[in-house]
Amino acid sequence: MDVSTASVGANGILKKLSAKMQMSLAPHLRRIRLAQGTVLHEAGETIATDSLQLLLEVNRARLDVARRDSALAVSRLRLGWMVGEGAAGDAAPLDSAPPPELPLSLEAATTELRERGPELVAVRAVERQADAALGVERSKYLPSVALTAGWQAYDATFFPSFLQRSAVGFTVTLPIWDAGRRELDYARARGASDVARAQREERERASSEAMAQAWNGYRTARVALELAQVGVQASAETYRVQGARYREGATTILDLLEAQVALGEAEATLVQARFAARSSLAQIEALLGRRLFGDNHQARAER
């Protein structure tokens, strides 16, 4: 995954988390007013500690919102800088649809990466360049042959024709010693060639691991996204039940706050699971150097 993709995903996550924190403030404020005037215990007495506990939670939530907004502002500026804009950038909304199945297997993806992966193509080109430079330096040990030809004419006029002479020369030069400069250049070229070959071999050995990590990461993210959606539904239902029980005086404020915290964590986990799926897909596409899905999928993801 490149840095711009991570920045776009981080921007989207911070927007989601900031919105969730803003939404969580409203129920706290309503319950403060409820606890101050109408919340009754089973014995019928007003619980003053509920109001204080809710006020403490609101203050914590406001602090978290301020931190998220600050991080979001910095992330937007970073995104704008990375895409070449002078102002802050804004990421497209994260795709709410489930990520599709990959159109190729791990073996096919690994084979394509080894054959046409951009990084491997680049390191192979660097190796060929280093080998060519080494061949040039090696050729300095061979004799050089020069073929020359000349034609001369003499006369008292501007276009001479009185006397004409022509000559052909053939010269063979054998290099013997040039103060070690030839050997030094050859050693440098040989070292550069060895380094380029080692880098190419290292990238080829690491290609299987890189593709397996990205491919399995995408599959894991799809499963995590499904589980996160179930977790949000379960946490939302638990929060609804705890809210109803609290209004009836059948539970404490701590149970209600615990349910709300669990709901917020489940929603944050869902956002992060969506980002992980998009990030893994972007990493696979970066390794292969092409899009795995068409424009229709991309347009649907941006809506």
Side-chain angles (χ1 to χ4, degrees), residues 189-296:
R190 182 62 179 270
S193 178
D194 293 341
V195 170
R197 182 173 60 257
Q199 291 177 348
R200 188 261 305 167
E201 293 175 351
E202 191 273 335
R203 291 303 306 166
E204 289 179 347
R205 288 192 299 268
S207 60
S208 299
E209 178 186 358
M211 179 55 67
Q213 181 179 3
W215 196 85
N216 289 289
Y218 181 77
R219 295 188 59 189
T220 304
R222 293 181 72 244
V223 176
L225 182 57
E226 295 176 358
L227 298 177
Q229 291 174 344
V230 176
V232 169
Q233 296 175 359
S235 299
E237 180 63 19
T238 302
Y239 178 62
R240 185 190 66 81
V241 172
Q242 290 292 349
R245 294 183 62 192
Y246 181 74
R247 286 190 295 271
E248 297 296 331
T251 187
T252 63
I253 186 64
L254 295 179
D255 294 333
L256 179 62
L257 292 177
E258 182 179 355
Q260 187 180 33
V261 170
L263 177 58
E265 292 178 350
E267 292 175 341
T269 302
L270 177 60
V271 175
Q272 294 174 353
R274 289 172 178 169
F275 168 69
R278 294 289 296 274
S279 178
S280 299
L281 178 60
Q283 185 177 3
I284 296 175
E285 293 176 342
L287 290 174
L288 297 179
R290 66 179 181 90
R291 293 286 188 183
L292 294 180
F293 301 102
D295 297 334
N296 293 334

Side-chain angles (χ1 to χ4, degrees), residues 59 125 127 139:
N59 291 335
E127 182 184 11
S139 66

